[in-house]
Structures are given as structure tokens and as C-alpha cells.
Amino acid sequence: MKKITGAVIFILVFSLSVAQSLVGTVSRVSDGDTLHLETPEGKYKVRFYGIDAPEISQDYGLESKVFVAERVLGERVKVDVVSTDRYGRKVGKIYYGYGYRNYLNRKVVEAGYAWWYRYYAREDRDLQEAEAHARKYKAGLWRSTDPVAPWEYRRSKKKGSQKGRAASLDRVVYVTKSGEKYHRAGCEYLKSVAGSYTIKEAEARGYTACRKL
């Protein structure tokens, strides 16, 4: 009975480890920490575990994407899957080259094209050492005197868009007596003015934006 139980446990553990590895061809590189993988089992969007590359609109964002593409685009890679994120992407460690010996996540950080994502990989010594190396030798983004971490950049962009939306809601618009739309001053569809409101007030009253706004 013990032998049978041991065999069952071994099979379960072996099956789990196999299920958590993907091998396929990289069909697309979105940026420095995201790629698309085609395997016999299907297509996957893969987010690199433990690193955060600059957004494409940031300094070194494009260079980070190119760094990854030059190494794996159109090539076979192995992904050791760590988890699946809330967007349905596989989060994993990517290996490439002969025998899949090159750890891409580390390579990107070591070259200064991504940050060690401490929040999600606090205990990963490989990535910690890679960032320390990049900082020491001022590789990639560390040439900048004050590089902005991608998570801080995204947070500031989000706050900015929220402020922009709040400001736009205070913009004054105009409505007609019988229409259901609100218009900007001078709109060709604004034949006569029956009232003026802020966008927030107009929408609260059931008006919707004119397509010319």
C-alpha cells in the first residue's frame, strides 16, 4: 500500500511540474517583459516573472523591447510558469539558447533594461544580484541620474488621467430646448441655447455628448 501511495504521489508531482513548463516559439515581443508564445498546446501571453521593464513611452522602453526581441523573437524558449495573473497571462521564468541555459529575466535586468520587481520577487537572489550589477556599472537605464520605476510611472499616468477627467467634467457645455445632446460653444448643431451646465451636471440630467464635442 505504501509503495502504491508513493508511486501516486510521484506521478502527481511529476505531472504538476510538466504542466508548469511551456516550450514553444516566440511569435511576438510586446515590450521588455512581455512576449507571445506559440506551443503545440496553444498560444500564450507570457509576463516575465520578477521584473518590470520600462513602458514603451518611457526612456529605455523601446531599447528594452529590442533587447528581448533580438534574443528570442522567432526562437524556441522554455517557460517555467510561476503563476497566472489577473489578466490571464502566464507569469514565468524564460530560458533560451542551447539547452535553454540562458535565463532571460536575469539577462534583461543585468543589461539595465528592467527593474527587479521586488514586490513580486522579494526572495529572488538572481534578480537582486542582476540589478546590483546593472546599477554598479551604470548599464542601460541606470545611465540616467534619476530613472523612474515603471510602477511609479504607471501610477503617475493614472493619477494624471483621473485629474484630467475630473477637470473635463467641470467644462461648461450647452443644451437646446428639445435636444438630448450637450454641445461645446460654437457647435454647428447648437442652433439655440436653452441652458448651460458643466459636463457633470449635463450627464446627471441625462444628456449625452454631441459627436462634435
Side-chain angles (χ1 to χ4, degrees), residues 69-106:
E70 286 179 342
R71 283 153 182 77
V72 298
L73 183 60
E75 303 293 334
R76 288 179 66 77
V77 301
K78 181 174 74 123
V79 179
D80 287 344
V81 178
V82 175
S83 64
T84 300
D85 70 13
R86 57 179 175 169
Y87 305 109
R89 300 175 299 186
K90 298 298 180 183
V91 179
K93 300 181 177 182
I94 295 91
Y95 297 89
Y96 71 101
Y98 180 76
Y100 305 119
R101 294 175 182 174
N102 298 307
Y103 180 23
L104 185 55
N105 306 44
R106 176 176 180 129

Side-chain angles (χ1 to χ4, degrees), residues 43-61:
K43 298 179 179 180
Y44 300 89
K45 191 170 185 179
V46 180
R47 175 67 164 80
F48 291 31
Y49 162 79
I51 78 172
D52 201 5
E55 299 296 323
I56 295 297
S57 54
Q58 278 187 273
D59 290 343
Y60 294 96

